[in-house]
Amino acid sequence: MLLANNAKGQKMANWSILGISGVALLAVTGSALADVTPEDVWQSWQDMSKSAGQIITAESATRDGDTLVVSNITMTSASPAATVDGTMAQLRFTDAGDGTVLVEMPPEYPITMTLPAGPDRPKSVEIALDISQDGATLTASGDPDAVNYDLTAPNLKIKLNRIDGVAAQNMTVEATFADISGSYSTDATATMTSDFTIGGIALAVLGSDATGEVRMTAAIKDVTLATSGAMMGAMGGPDFMAALTDGAKSASEMTYASADFDIEVTAPAGPSTVTGTSDSGTISASIGAEGLDYSVSQQGVSLNVTSADMPVPTMSAKFDELAFGIKMPLVPSDVAQPFAFTTKLTNMTLSDEIWAMFDPMNALPRDPLNLAIDTDGMMRITQAVNPQNPSEVPAQLDSITLKELQLSLAGAELTGTGTGKMDYPAAGAPVPSGVFDLKLTGANALMDKLVAAGFLQADQLMMPRMMLAMVGLPDPAGGDALISKIEIKDKAVFANGQKLYDMP
């Protein structure tokens, strides 16, 4: 929760500084050979809080010898998604005598998150968390306009305390971050960069009621985190587009070496378990005036499910890679800008128990499932994007290139490439055009196997075979393959030169 560092999370950047929880994720390399005083460092924190859209106040800030003692600190970060409040009894900034400042934070402090009422939440919800960070060391260096921080922490814990004022008696939620090490820096332009490693992240959840119990554990090992960009306090608010136009931007990347989770449910019908592992993964995101660029990938994923309620006691699936990426403009413009979309699922296999549920005679080829879609093109953003409703993007598609299409399953495969564009006349509906080359192999053999497996009757395939014959031609290379050139022109759709239908 506190470890997310993306465009929407920028408002909480200063939680990073005021608590190791945030520091663990918002940090950077380097320390300069210059001097800072305790007052410089405390002022830097206040400046960054303001840049991140956070309000921070203290009852007093007084000198005690070589130490600046800041007492009774309150912190508030508000966004449409949530309001976060926190308090610290004391912060101590001690002059180390070599131009650096040692920052001593309390070993424990509370924060409260308030989620507002909305369409899917009839009333606001208050969640209280306890943060513990005993043994952490934070050293500030550099100069007043560019303060660098080096952090080490043996562990950080975030624990659920209560929900809506009620102690979490029947629920335990705890996240632990081990072996945190790294650094972060800020400058006078409210820019932050970071570079961090975390030896392991562990999550434990336990809940119970009169009907049963739920246990969940998850672990991520060897995490690296890197960020750079402006502290966009307006991110997620009404000034979102203005912030981008003024040059605000942010980029982050997270990698991990392995991950696993284990869920166990105890119910009257019997126990159920879900387990999963991943060999590695990467998440990267950047946002700015040039647009959004987001990608995620996982490698070597395995899932296993056991339950007394299932037709078979155990089911499992594996795949080599799951990847998704999107790149698109965000700032309104009369000029088309590049976009791209990719998704990939590689070598997904299902256990024999799953296949046996619908193919007990082993009539279908149990080949891995593969899916790949790779497109790019040009588009225009016609109005400012509303960060509160990112699923609705006011955009016009100008052109698209299908660089790769692949779908293979049970011995059949569909592949394709092509290009298309959209014209926008002064009056009337947009007019699409384009040419797409498709190839389908193994379709007839698959339909025969579906009949053999009992899924279909032979006469039920008459219509599908006729439709394939209408849109496809035998591949000159021979074999069980069909090729098709789909053309969109003159407000009609053609397959291999034959008109299929007229568009309205």
Side-chain angles (χ1 to χ4, degrees):
M1 179 183 312
L2 294 179
L3 293 177
N5 182 35
N6 50 37
K8 291 183 179 179
Q10 288 290 339
K11 281 198 169 204
M12 298 183 64
N14 278 82
W15 291 103
S16 308
I17 303 164
L18 295 176
I20 299 297
S21 59
V23 169
L25 293 191
L26 295 173
V28 242
T29 60
S31 52
L33 298 176
D35 294 348
V36 288
T37 66
E39 287 77 10
D40 292 335
V41 178
W42 171 231
Q43 185 62 50
S44 171
W45 284 25
Q46 295 175 82
D47 293 342
M48 284 192 299
S49 294
K50 182 178 180 180
S51 299
Q54 184 187 49
I55 300 173
I56 178 171
T57 60
E59 186 177 280
S60 63
T62 58
R63 267 281 189 164
D64 181 9
D66 58 4
T67 300
L68 177 67
V69 181
V70 182
S71 302
N72 297 327
I73 304 102
T74 62
M75 304 158 288
T76 299
S77 178
S79 73
T83 298
V84 182
D85 299 289
T87 60
M88 289 185 180
Q90 192 177 88
L91 288 168
R92 298 176 65 85
F93 301 84
T94 301
D95 191 334
D98 58 359
T100 67
V101 172
L102 303 179
V103 183
E104 181 182 345
M105 290 167 289
E108 296 182 356
Y109 65 94
I111 67 171
T112 302
M113 298 180 62
T114 303
L115 309 180
D120 57 348
R121 192 183 300 118
K123 64 174 185 177
S124 63
V125 176
E126 183 182 276
I127 302 172
L129 304 172
D130 292 329
I131 313 297
S132 61
Q133 52 191 18
D134 198 16
T137 62
L138 182 63
T139 303
S141 60
D143 61 62
D145 291 331
V147 182
N148 306 319
Y149 299 86
D150 293 305
L151 167 73
T152 61
N155 65 74
L156 157 75
K157 291 185 178 180
I158 305 172
K159 186 175 182 179
L160 175 65
N161 183 305
R162 64 186 186 278
I163 299 177
D164 279 345
V166 179
Q169 297 177 351
N170 297 323
M171 177 178 289
T172 298
V173 180
E174 185 172 292
T176 302
F177 306 86
D179 299 326
I180 303 169
S181 178
S183 57
Y184 68 94
S185 67
T186 60
D187 61 26
T189 64
T191 297
M192 174 177 279
T193 56
S194 74
D195 192 357
F196 251 77
T197 63
I198 303 174
I201 303 174
L203 174 67
V205 178
L206 170 63
S208 63
D209 59 21
T211 63
E213 185 177 82
V214 177
R215 295 176 180 268
M216 185 186 81
T217 59
I220 307 175
K221 296 181 180 180
D222 296 332
V223 179
T224 67
L225 296 155
T227 68
S228 64
M231 305 277 285
M232 288 183 281
M235 214 36 139
D239 297 330
F240 169 70
M241 297 307 302
L244 293 184
T245 304
D246 289 343
K249 59 183 178 180
S250 177
S252 62
E253 181 177 76
M254 170 182 171
T255 67
Y256 62 87
S258 66
D260 63 75
F261 70 89
D262 190 333
I263 302 173
E264 181 179 350
V265 179
T266 303
S272 301
T273 63
V274 181
T275 62
T277 62
S278 174
D279 289 345
S280 61
T282 302
I283 302 173
S284 64
S286 65
I287 189 169
E290 67 276 11
L292 169 71
D293 192 346
Y294 174 81
S295 65
V296 57
S297 67
Q298 287 182 293
Q299 288 77 39
V301 177
S302 175
L303 301 172
N304 298 276
V305 181
T306 64
S307 175
D309 292 335
M310 297 191 307
V312 293
T314 303
M315 296 189 295
S316 62
K318 297 179 180 180
F319 53 84
D320 291 346
E321 182 183 13
L322 175 64
F324 170 84
I326 185 169
K327 182 178 181 179
M328 59 175 287
L330 293 175
V331 177
S333 174
D334 293 333
V335 179
Q337 302 173 70
F339 80 90
F341 171 81
T342 60
T343 187
K344 180 187 291 186
L345 177 61
T346 305
N347 289 334
M348 181 176 181
T349 59
L350 305 178
S351 63
D352 290 339
E353 291 85 355
I354 297 178
W355 280 103
M357 290 171 58
F358 55 87
D359 183 25
M361 302 302 293
N362 200 17
L364 300 177
R366 299 186 176 181
D367 299 342
L369 166 67
N370 287 277
L371 171 65
I373 301 173
D374 187 1
T375 66
D376 62 20
M378 303 293 288
M379 65 184 295
R380 286 176 285 176
I381 301 298
T382 58
Q383 298 179 34
V385 176
N386 180 3
Q388 309 312 317
N389 193 9
S391 61
E392 294 187 7
V393 179
Q396 282 187 349
L397 176 67
D398 276 35
S399 64
I400 185 170
T401 298
L402 178 60
K403 299 164 64 177
E404 179 186 12
L405 168 65
Q406 181 199 21
L407 174 61
S408 61
L409 174 66
E413 182 179 54
L414 173 67
T415 59
T417 59
T419 60
K421 67 176 184 177
M422 192 77 74
D423 293 322
Y424 297 89
V431 180
S433 61
V435 179
F436 298 88
D437 293 301
L438 306 177
K439 182 177 181 179
L440 178 62
T441 60
N444 286 303
L446 177 57
M447 287 188 286
D448 292 337
K449 290 180 173 64
L450 290 172
V451 172
F455 288 109
L456 298 171
Q457 298 297 319
D459 59 355
Q460 293 178 299
L461 293 176
M462 183 180 299
M463 183 61 68
R465 291 186 193 275
M466 290 177 59
M467 293 179 64
L468 285 176
M470 289 177 59
V471 300
L473 296 174
D475 187 351
D480 182 9
L482 297 171
I483 59 174
S484 183
K485 181 180 291 292
I486 303 298
E487 295 179 275
I488 305 171
K489 61 181 182 179
D490 301 329
K491 294 186 177 181
V493 178
F494 299 80
N496 302 311
Q498 179 181 347
K499 183 184 290 187
L500 296 180
Y501 67 91
D502 292 307
M503 293 184 294

